[in-house]
Amino acid sequence: MKGEPSVPVTVTAGQFIKFSLQTYDPDIAKFRHAAANIQVDRHIQAWRQGPSTISHIQIVALSGEIYRLLVDRFRENPGSPANWAAFKAFNRAAQEGRLLNAPSLMPGELPSEAQAFAIFGAELTQGVNAMPADTVDALKALEARFGVVTDWILQKHGLSIDAECRAKLLRHVATSSQDAGWSLKRNAEGDYTPDTKAARFPPVSVVTASVKITSVDDLFDKWANETKPAASTHSTWKSNLRNLKNHLGPKADDITRITAEDIVSWKDAAVARELASKTINSSYLGMAKTLFNYAISNKMLSENPAENVRAAAKSRAGSAMLPYTDEEVARLLALAANEESPQMRWLPWLAACSGARIGEVAQLWGNRIKLEDGIHVMLITPAEDGGSIKNEGSERVVPIHPALIKAGFLDFVKSKGNGPLFYRRNSGRASSRHSTKGVTNRLSTWIREQGFTDPRKAPNHALRHYFKSAAAKVGISDSLADAIQGHAAKNDAGRYRHFDIKTKAEAIASLPFPPKMPKTDKDGDA
């Protein structure tokens, strides 16, 4: 973040785990704090589960983490060739059982040539060869040299492995470190030819050997069964998942095989189809990140391949959504007043007079139109038969505008009883699209058919934009308008501010509906 590199931290676990985040930047501090929490949680889980056995391919994949750590850290500025000659000398001396206490390899530290010259002499190769091989405990020598970075790998992935697997991993870490040393020595000499050995490491994507292979379909079903998403989200994300499956091919049958490069190429394919950046980032990648984070939380993955993948977004002039004008709202409400269909008759008025989302008022039931403190209100909550609203803050009490009461809305509610006002009762299944979705879609089509065709004015949602603009004109504060409309507070202070029903009712009643039109003289001038 912001050009600051990652920092290795070594701590001792006790009643508390304390260490410095090594930054004064609050954003980076938050990021590092979150990352540290994840690592601590993984390590605690590993302790609880006890040592496990991992496969050979997983051992090789884990050793590749050290190769990548070193190359990524030092490739751009590798220092001198002598640094990496010293690095390789210590590695080889430990690998071959010639030196018991080689300096510990620490993540991110540039090797010291002075230390190597002090032990082996100026001719490093000859100095290492002069030490008898296999004269020290090979495993202890590997632990001394590579134990810290091996622990770093295991802690990163929340793994606790048995002694036999650790011994194998130490040997492979030694080899991968030596491969990295050769590559970085060439870089230091000015040779940046691609290193073919880099491709030999499988991706690290398995937390334990006992993890059951999970397909993207299985992952989605597990997530959906546990989180119970809104039906609209379930439907949209299921469609996005099919798109991802088609792109991944056979990899879709095993989430551990999906790489960051796969997600980037999926994103690029969406860009090539000219999908909007907002759609790609919020709907496509938002779905992928959520599912893979769920997989991490449930120990199916150790890394999120969609993390930090994003389509470049650029706001273009002339593309922002706009509110209806006073004239347009007056015309739309006049048209609605002449409609016999309850949806076309009342929903535009409810949305305009409250600033509510059209899906919120479409879910109204008769039993949620109440009298509180002498004021007629509507309770904005998820419909009793499986409806949903945007978030927790969207649930609220909204006074009914006097114009709606005067127009006979309360008489209409009384005629409908306690059930749904604008749709037939829904099935209630979480995976089914709620009946109000069809209602709001038909309303949107009807509004377009009445001549409201500006692409920058969403047929239903432009009424919500209008309410906020109209509120500003009559002096309603943003915070009060937000409370009426169910917009989240913009800061911590806003979450402590609450408005009573009377205050909301007075604000809503101050808005003229239908909007007043400017008077014109007989020549047509205002």
Side-chain angles (χ1 to χ4, degrees):
M1 295 179 62
K2 298 185 179 180
E4 288 202 17
S6 58
V7 292
V9 176
T10 302
V11 297
T12 301
Q15 184 178 3
F16 301 101
I17 297 176
K18 299 172 68 175
F19 55 88
S20 170
L21 296 173
Q22 300 181 31
T23 182
Y24 292 104
D25 188 308
D27 292 333
I28 294 174
K30 290 179 182 177
F31 177 83
R32 288 181 178 170
H33 184 265
N37 278 338
I38 290 171
Q39 293 304 323
V40 169
D41 180 64
R42 288 176 177 173
H43 202 55
I44 291 172
Q45 289 297 328
W47 284 336
R48 288 173 177 165
Q49 293 170 2
S52 60
T53 300
I54 58 176
S55 67
H56 176 74
I57 190 172
Q58 292 167 344
I59 287 172
V60 176
L62 289 169
S63 72
E65 291 276 58
I66 296 302
Y67 178 94
R68 287 185 288 272
L69 171 71
L70 292 166
V71 171
D72 291 348
R73 172 69 178 82
F74 295 111
R75 186 172 186 270
E76 187 170 349
N77 295 297
S80 71
N83 286 135
W84 298 105
F87 174 86
K88 294 192 296 94
F90 280 124
N91 287 354
R92 188 162 71 87
Q95 282 179 286
E96 297 173 0
R98 300 174 188 270
L99 181 64
L100 180 60
N101 294 312
S104 180
L105 177 57
M106 302 293 289
E109 283 190 7
L110 191 68
S112 169
E113 58 187 278
Q115 272 186 301
F117 292 157
I119 296 174
F120 305 118
E123 295 295 330
L124 295 178
T125 301
Q126 294 178 15
V128 173
N129 291 339
M131 290 181 166
D134 300 320
T135 56
V136 300
D137 186 313
L139 188 56
K140 287 184 178 179
L142 291 173
E143 277 287 1
R145 177 63 175 161
F146 303 106
V148 171
V149 291
T150 299
D151 286 337
W152 174 82
I153 302 170
L154 296 173
Q155 290 173 20
K156 177 181 178 183
H157 296 286
L159 285 169
S160 175
I161 60 177
D162 59 34
E164 183 179 354
C165 287
R166 183 178 179 87
K168 292 178 181 178
L169 180 57
L170 282 166
R171 287 192 284 272
H172 280 278
V173 167
T175 302
S176 66
S177 299
Q178 199 70 334
D179 289 343
W182 278 109
S183 179
L184 290 164
K185 183 174 183 291
R186 289 192 299 101
N187 295 161
E189 292 167 344
D191 181 358
Y192 279 86
T193 304
D195 182 10
T196 56
K197 290 185 178 180
R200 74 177 181 86
F201 302 107
V204 177
S205 54
V206 180
V207 177
T208 69
S210 61
V211 170
K212 180 182 177 182
I213 292 177
T214 302
S215 68
V216 292
D217 280 327
D218 289 341
L219 177 61
F220 182 88
D221 290 341
K222 288 175 184 292
W223 169 82
N225 288 336
E226 187 169 328
T227 61
K228 303 294 190 294
S232 58
T233 300
H234 189 286
S235 175
T236 300
W237 281 21
K238 193 72 173 176
S239 175
N240 295 345
L241 189 74
R242 284 194 294 271
N243 185 278
L244 176 59
K245 283 174 55 182
N246 292 337
H247 182 83
L248 292 172
K251 284 189 176 183
D253 295 326
D254 182 358
I255 60 174
T256 67
R257 296 177 59 198
I258 301 171
T259 65
E261 289 74 18
D262 294 326
I263 301 301
V264 170
S265 65
W266 179 51
K267 179 267 297 181
D268 290 343
V271 171
R273 298 201 311 274
E274 298 186 352
L275 291 185
S277 296
K278 183 178 179 181
T279 299
I280 298 171
N281 291 328
S282 299
S283 189
Y284 275 46
L285 294 172
M287 176 271 300
K289 290 173 183 177
T290 298
L291 292 184
F292 292 133
N293 279 334
Y294 174 83
I296 291 172
S297 299
N298 288 273
K299 311 306 176 188
M300 303 176 202
L301 288 178
S302 61
E303 295 179 342
N304 189 331
E307 194 67 33
N308 298 322
V309 179
R310 188 172 179 81
K314 182 179 180 181
S315 298
R316 293 176 297 176
S319 63
M321 299 307 291
L322 299 174
Y324 286 133
T325 63
D326 287 337
E327 291 83 358
E328 287 172 324
V329 172
R331 184 161 66 89
L332 176 58
L333 297 185
L335 290 167
N338 292 320
E339 286 292 314
E340 294 184 3
S341 162
Q343 295 94 333
M344 311 311 170
R345 169 68 182 90
W346 295 112
L347 287 178
W349 277 83
L350 284 166
C353 294
S354 67
R357 301 173 181 90
I358 199 69
E360 294 173 339
V361 289
Q363 289 183 58
L364 283 173
W365 283 33
N367 60 9
R368 285 192 274 115
I369 306 300
K370 295 180 176 291
L371 190 66
E372 293 193 8
D373 297 336
I375 297 170
H376 291 286
V377 300
M378 54 184 173
L379 308 184
I380 302 294
T381 62
E384 288 84 334
D385 55 0
S388 64
I389 54 180
K390 186 170 184 179
N391 51 44
E392 183 181 357
S394 299
E395 195 164 347
R396 61 199 187 277
V397 179
V398 181
I400 297 173
H401 195 284
L404 272 162
I405 297 174
K406 183 178 180 181
F409 177 66
L410 296 180
D411 294 331
F412 162 72
V413 171
K414 186 176 180 180
S415 71
K416 298 291 288 187
N418 289 330
L421 298 180
F422 301 110
Y423 67 96
R424 293 181 179 178
R425 200 176 293 258
N426 200 59
S427 69
R429 293 193 303 270
S431 60
S432 299
R433 191 175 70 164
H434 197 264
S435 298
T436 51
K437 187 67 175 176
V439 170
T440 58
N441 286 343
R442 287 191 293 275
L443 177 62
S444 177
T445 299
W446 176 79
I447 292 174
R448 287 294 193 214
E449 290 172 348
Q450 308 312 305
F452 298 86
T453 56
D454 188 335
R456 295 180 63 185
K457 298 178 181 181
N460 297 326
H461 209 64
L463 289 169
R464 185 164 164 83
H465 283 262
Y466 172 81
F467 183 92
K468 185 61 67 69
S469 302
K473 288 181 183 178
V474 298
I476 298 173
S477 68
D478 284 345
S479 56
L480 178 52
D482 287 343
I484 294 170
Q485 292 190 270
H487 273 134
K490 296 179 175 61
N491 51 46
D492 288 339
R495 285 189 281 274
Y496 289 91
R497 186 183 298 113
H498 303 278
F499 297 97
D500 58 26
I501 295 174
K502 181 180 178 182
T503 301
K504 290 181 182 179
E506 290 174 350
I508 287 175
S510 69
L511 294 166
F513 282 103
K516 295 178 180 178
M517 295 296 97
K519 294 181 180 180
T520 59
D521 60 25
K522 59 184 178 181
D523 296 322
D525 296 327

